[in-house]
Amino acid sequence: MALTQVETYDGSTESELIQRAVQKDEAAVRAIIQANNRRLYRVARSIVGDDGEAEDVLLESYLRAFSRLANFRGDSSLATWLTRIVLNEALQRLRRRTTPTVADVTQSRGPIAQVLPFPHSGTNPADPERITAQRELCVLLERAVDTLPVDFRSVLVARVIEDMSIEETAEFLGLRPETVKTRLHRARRMLKAALADHIGPLFSDIFPFAGKRCERVMERVVAKLNLTS
């Protein structure tokens, strides 16, 4: 949810909300965080590549942002300003790592801490088999995204996952629009290649039909056949 839609919280404009937050108004601070949390988390996660560290990036970034909020001049939107703070914090953490290259960082990274909360649109919540298959697909996709170099991963997250425009992505990441287009194209190619290497074994598990669903059909067939035991 963008901060321009913050009226859904308390009817305040962005400028009014900032002034209230500067005065330590808890409701205003919470509204700003809630409006920006998901996007900022995904930006941080796309750079540091770890769930826990991404949360740490957000914590430090919010603390820094709110301590400097009185100096916010409005040259850009508050969301853009917050994103730049998150980017700087995440990149600083990346530079402090002992590994010298992005490639080394992605190769040395440990297992994913936990699965990001992808939506299960169209999934019957009472169908555990399909939910499990959906979750496995999410894990596969996250791991494939994590293999991308950070410069390409951050563009992919902004454009595809957060559905930001070319211009918004360029402004958020400090890039030229042409660079965003090029990196997005290459990121999609790399992601497709990464998925192709791992998705083959999953085809045996698509359209799951077992457990209660299998038993239900079996019982219906037996009932219609009027079988004798």
Side-chain angles (χ1 to χ4, degrees):
M1 182 180 299
L3 194 56
T4 54
Q5 297 173 316
V6 78
E7 289 82 357
T8 57
Y9 294 107
D10 59 6
S12 299
T13 65
E14 179 173 287
S15 178
E16 292 169 343
L17 200 66
I18 291 172
Q19 291 302 315
R20 288 170 51 200
V22 169
Q23 299 300 319
K24 311 296 184 182
D25 184 298
E26 181 178 339
V29 170
R30 288 181 178 275
I32 290 173
I33 293 174
Q34 187 173 359
N36 291 278
N37 238 1
R38 186 181 72 169
R39 172 174 289 181
L40 295 181
Y41 172 80
R42 285 175 166 174
V43 168
R45 176 63 172 76
S46 71
I47 294 173
V48 298
D50 178 83
D51 293 357
E53 190 170 7
E55 290 186 17
D56 291 341
V57 168
L58 254 63
L59 175 61
E60 292 299 322
S61 299
Y62 276 132
L63 293 176
R64 183 173 293 109
F66 285 116
S67 69
R68 302 175 181 175
L69 193 57
N71 299 323
F72 176 68
R73 298 179 301 177
D75 296 336
S76 64
S77 69
L78 182 60
T80 298
W81 185 70
L82 289 172
T83 300
R84 287 171 180 162
I85 294 175
V86 169
L87 282 171
N88 288 335
E89 175 67 23
L91 289 171
Q92 286 177 13
R93 287 172 177 259
L94 200 62
R95 296 188 191 104
R96 287 198 295 265
R97 294 179 181 177
T98 57
T99 46
T101 65
V102 171
D104 291 335
V105 169
T106 57
Q107 291 171 5
S108 63
R109 187 180 303 134
I112 295 175
Q114 65 184 65
V115 178
L116 296 179
F118 279 73
H120 302 292
S121 58
T123 299
N124 182 354
D127 188 348
E129 297 161 12
R130 191 166 294 277
I131 290 176
T132 298
Q134 178 82 14
R135 182 63 66 185
E136 290 175 351
L137 182 59
C138 289
V139 171
L140 178 67
L141 182 58
E142 287 176 351
R143 288 176 177 169
V145 170
D146 273 344
T147 65
L148 303 179
V150 64
D151 289 343
F152 299 93
R153 191 166 66 237
S154 57
V155 169
L156 183 75
V157 168
R159 281 286 291 125
V160 178
I161 297 179
E162 282 303 313
D163 197 28
M164 296 165 62
S165 68
I166 293 290
E167 292 72 20
E168 287 175 324
T169 302
E171 182 181 7
F172 269 54
L173 300 179
L175 302 171
R176 294 185 300 117
E178 295 78 10
T179 303
V180 170
K181 293 177 183 179
T182 300
R183 290 186 182 180
L184 178 62
H185 178 69
R186 293 187 60 188
R188 281 172 166 162
R189 287 176 55 189
M190 287 186 285
L191 183 62
K192 181 178 179 180
L195 287 172
D197 290 338
H198 302 288
I199 204 169
L202 293 182
F203 278 107
S204 60
D205 296 325
I206 65 173
F207 306 128
F209 194 76
K212 291 183 178 179
R213 299 171 69 205
C214 179
E215 292 176 7
R216 183 171 62 247
V217 171
M218 178 177 62
E219 293 300 328
R220 291 177 65 186
V221 170
V222 170
K224 287 183 176 296
L225 290 176
N226 296 317
L227 300 175
T228 57
S229 57

